[in-house]
Amino acid sequence: MPLALGQVLQKLSGLRSFKDHPDVEPALRNARAMAITFYYSNREVTLPDGSRSSELLLVADFSRQAVDGLLHTLHMPSWKPERRAVTTWVVVDDGVSRRIMPIELEYAWESIAVAARARGMPLTRPQADEQGNYPVDMQLLWGGYTEELVDSGPADALVMAARREGPEWNVRMNLDYMGQTWTWRNRNIDLQLALVEGMHKAIDEIAGTHSIAASDQGRTLLDITVTGVAGTADYVRTLSYLQGLSLVDRVRVISAAPGKVRFTLTLNALPEYLVRALESDAILSVTPVADVYSLSP
């Protein structure tokens, strides 16, 4: 149970390890008291030789209120809740051919996915068509041109281009996430380890700019007015959207008038994080008047 709670804290914080948070290990001893339910589940995995096997997992459900309180007590960061998945491409050149995620490296992909899942980073895996082809230019992928991988908007893409060089793999990483870009390389004689390290490095970079610092967490009240509310359906849509934001703990209606509604929001972080989330979702558009938003059609 302490191990399960530690994984929950890692997933919510995005941290690779707790080495800078020495109080975490003693706090995990209270894991059983924070658990709501637990059960066991089998998970299928692919082994390096291509065969399939299963693992028996303990799945624990902890009180969200207790976990949030623990995060705050331990002064740990937390992911910004409204974050996008990163589309991850793996291109491998073994000296004979250059291919996108060869089937024989399925075990390596699963290791990448496990590393991302453990740190709360959602991934999207590109899918090939029935002939096994991908709808991208191989040269663009190999060159790391992440901006070309989508038609519009930030690419939110990670390209791992691995080349065999003697006994080692030289892996170049190109990350484009929400308008920011990073490039780096790492080398390893084990391709699986090189790819997993690349994923960890990518999550380090994303978490550095898309997580909420412990000092910015805490209860805050914010009053906002939403215009463009033409009727009951718009009101329900607005209320449901605000209540669904994980930055918002409570929504209270202050007043309503034709075409607009005023709310008091109880936040669990500074208001600036909510403003960024609203701008990203584009459900409520910013207006020239402070704390006034317009409901999008």
Side-chain angles (χ1 to χ4, degrees):
M1 296 295 278
L3 179 59
L5 179 57
Q7 291 179 350
V8 170
L9 294 180
Q10 186 180 33
K11 183 175 293 186
L12 293 177
S13 67
L15 294 175
R16 190 190 298 209
S17 70
F18 300 137
K19 65 178 183 179
D20 295 328
H21 299 271
D23 294 334
V24 170
E25 186 173 351
L28 296 181
R29 298 169 189 165
N30 297 321
R32 188 171 294 276
M34 299 171 60
I36 299 174
T37 61
F38 71 91
Y39 60 93
Y40 293 93
S41 174
N42 282 308
R43 180 177 66 184
E44 295 294 319
V45 296
T46 302
L47 301 179
D49 62 4
S51 63
R52 301 290 291 177
S53 182
S54 64
E55 297 176 329
L56 183 64
L57 302 180
L58 169 69
V59 182
D61 183 18
F62 295 94
S63 163
R64 182 56 191 259
Q65 183 177 3
V67 172
D68 286 344
L70 185 58
L71 278 170
H72 185 70
T73 300
L74 296 173
H75 304 289
M76 299 176 70
S78 64
W79 276 114
K80 293 179 182 178
E82 285 69 35
R83 63 188 183 281
R84 296 192 290 253
V86 59
T87 300
T88 303
W89 298 85
V90 179
V91 188
V92 179
D93 187 333
D94 59 6
V96 177
S97 62
R98 184 176 295 171
R99 292 175 293 163
I100 300 174
M101 201 62 252
I103 188 64
E104 64 269 21
L105 292 178
E106 184 68 19
Y107 71 94
W109 169 263
E110 290 190 2
S111 296
I112 293 171
V114 167
R117 186 165 56 247
R119 297 181 62 183
M121 185 69 232
L123 296 186
T124 297
R125 180 177 182 174
Q127 297 298 319
D129 60 21
E130 295 180 354
Q131 287 73 41
N133 299 316
Y134 291 85
V136 295
D137 186 325
M138 175 69 80
Q139 289 303 112
L140 290 178
L141 276 182
W142 187 253
Y145 297 106
T146 51
E147 67 275 8
E148 301 292 339
L149 295 178
V150 294
D151 294 330
S152 61
D156 294 340
L158 170 64
V159 178
M160 300 179 172
R163 184 197 298 274
R164 184 83 180 187
E165 296 180 354
E168 288 188 323
W169 289 94
N170 183 357
V171 186
R172 186 189 69 250
M173 316 287 179
N174 290 86
L175 173 64
D176 188 329
Y177 190 80
M178 297 186 74
Q180 294 179 285
T181 59
W182 299 266
T183 301
W184 69 96
R185 291 178 181 269
N186 63 316
R187 305 176 71 95
N188 200 302
I189 60 174
D190 189 316
L191 178 58
Q192 180 181 10
L193 294 180
L195 295 175
V196 171
E197 175 58 29
M199 176 54 67
H200 277 303
K201 172 66 174 176
I203 298 173
D204 289 342
E205 299 293 356
I206 294 172
T209 55
H210 294 278
S211 61
I212 303 173
S215 58
D216 291 343
Q217 300 174 30
R219 179 154 293 193
T220 306
L221 296 179
L222 176 67
D223 290 347
I224 68 169
T225 297
V226 178
T227 62
V229 183
T232 302
D234 284 347
Y235 169 75
V236 171
R237 179 184 169 212
T238 303
L239 184 60
S240 298
Y241 169 68
L242 292 173
Q243 290 175 332
L245 293 170
S246 53
L247 283 168
V248 179
D249 288 338
R250 183 184 178 191
V251 180
R252 185 166 64 90
V253 178
I254 302 175
S255 63
K260 65 180 180 180
V261 181
R262 189 162 181 79
F263 300 93
T264 292
L265 307 180
T266 302
L267 309 179
N268 50 49
L270 293 180
E272 64 188 67
Y273 291 99
L274 176 69
V275 173
R276 293 172 192 167
L278 297 180
E279 291 175 345
S280 175
D281 290 344
I283 302 298
L284 301 180
S285 303
V286 178
T287 71
V289 182
D291 298 327
V292 176
Y293 296 85
S294 175
L295 180 64
S296 302

